[in-house]
Amino acid sequence: KPDSITISCEEYYNVETKHGILTNNVWNKQAAKDDSWSQCLEKRSVGGDTQYGWSWSWPFGRRVVYSQPQIKVGASPWAPEPKFDTSFPLKISELSKLDISHDIETTTNGNHNTATTMWLISEAYKGSKPNKSIIAAEIMIWTYSTSEHFDPAGSKHSEIRTSDGANWEVWSQKEWEDKSGENDNRWTYVAFRATKSSMKANIKGLELLNYAMEENLISEDYFIADVELGNEIM
């Protein structure tokens, strides 16, 4: 891996940074079975600024997603603590803008994507305990994926272009589920995959959400619980 200082390799370890909560999410680690693996949170200093990231080593040979190390703002309904930015949850219908940007560097010989995830909830929950009963939808925005990575879940719904000229495939699936088998609740899955992959992205997030509402994929009554940036690692 590139030169960096390992913060922790502990499962689900959290680090609060000025950008959000860095989380060592290993949600489907059991898919590795008896094979060895590692995933760690990392930091490095560049030009006097601290940059954060993660490193991983997962087994080859299985068509599964093992994990999703990430940085997030808001509070996920799966794990509300620690929180970052108490303005969340945000009611979609009350937003005037939701712009998301990132510029990242990744070095790997395996398969992964880069995705922004938003968990949508049915009520403005601000509690500290996990509450999967309010999970209504999962929005994923893929800005990069390796050639052998899975397609998004469900089936291709359409293609759209946002006002900045970016083109997106739209994928959807009703009654989506936790593929780790750890949870039995269901929710709506909607993914926007960029037709041109890039490690640097500026996303018109509200335009994508408005399209999903216009197509009756999600409800305008939903709230955004959090916004996460991470890698789905195969």
Side-chain angles (χ1 to χ4, degrees), residues 35-91:
D35 290 340
S36 62
W37 59 271
S38 68
Q39 184 173 288
C40 306
L41 301 181
E42 308 281 344
K43 66 179 180 179
R44 67 184 183 186
S45 180
V46 177
D49 187 34
T50 301
Q51 297 182 343
Y52 293 93
W54 37 79
S55 61
W56 70 77
S57 178
W58 287 98
F60 280 92
R62 294 190 180 95
R63 295 288 295 170
V64 297
V65 172
Y66 291 114
S67 66
Q68 193 172 358
Q70 60 198 199
I71 189 166
K72 59 188 175 183
V73 295
S76 166
W78 296 103
E81 297 291 340
K83 292 179 171 62
F84 189 94
D85 190 341
T86 56
S87 63
F88 286 83
L90 308 172
K91 192 167 187 179

Side-chain angles (χ1 to χ4, degrees), residues 2-151:
D3 287 339
S4 60
I5 298 170
T6 298
I7 300 170
S8 176
C9 300
E10 180 182 335
E11 297 172 15
Y12 298 102
Y13 192 84
N14 292 303
V15 177
E16 184 170 343
T17 78
K18 66 180 180 180
H19 307 292
I21 304 295
L22 197 68
T23 302
N24 196 26
N25 183 344
V26 291
W27 69 272
N28 199 26
K29 63 177 183 175
Q30 58 270 28
K33 299 184 179 179
D34 294 330
D35 290 340
S36 62
W37 59 271
S38 68
Q39 184 173 288
C40 306
L41 301 181
E42 308 281 344
K43 66 179 180 179
R44 67 184 183 186
S45 180
V46 177
D49 187 34
T50 301
Q51 297 182 343
Y52 293 93
W54 37 79
S55 61
W56 70 77
S57 178
W58 287 98
F60 280 92
R62 294 190 180 95
R63 295 288 295 170
V64 297
V65 172
Y66 291 114
S67 66
Q68 193 172 358
Q70 60 198 199
I71 189 166
K72 59 188 175 183
V73 295
S76 166
W78 296 103
E81 297 291 340
K83 292 179 171 62
F84 189 94
D85 190 341
T86 56
S87 63
F88 286 83
L90 308 172
K91 192 167 187 179
I92 298 173
S93 61
E94 295 177 356
L95 294 176
S96 58
K97 183 172 69 171
L98 181 63
D99 292 343
I100 302 164
S101 62
H102 60 74
D103 188 357
I104 62 178
E105 176 186 321
T106 307
T107 304
T108 179
N109 64 345
N111 287 303
H112 73 281
N113 70 10
T114 300
T116 298
T117 301
M118 289 179 271
W119 289 102
L120 306 187
I121 53 179
S122 57
E123 60 183 70
Y125 178 71
K126 289 196 173 187
S128 59
K129 299 288 183 65
N131 189 354
K132 67 182 185 181
S133 68
I134 60 172
I135 295 172
E138 177 185 9
I139 303 294
M140 297 199 79
I141 306 171
W142 292 26
T143 44
Y144 178 89
S145 59
T146 54
S147 61
E148 297 301 316
H149 196 279
F150 286 127
D151 284 331

Side-chain angles (χ1 to χ4, degrees), residues 102 113-116 140-146 150-152 156 158-162 164-171 189-204 208:
H102 60 74
N113 70 10
T114 300
T116 298
M140 297 199 79
I141 306 171
W142 292 26
T143 44
Y144 178 89
S145 59
T146 54
F150 286 127
D151 284 331
K156 188 175 176 181
S158 57
E159 291 194 16
I160 63 168
R161 174 177 290 189
T162 47
D164 57 354
N167 294 307
W168 303 90
E169 300 173 354
V170 185
W171 295 68
Y189 172 96
V190 181
F192 298 91
R193 180 168 65 176
T195 59
K196 183 179 180 181
S197 280
S198 176
M199 292 287 183
K200 184 175 183 178
N202 294 287
I203 303 164
K204 296 294 184 183
L208 300 180

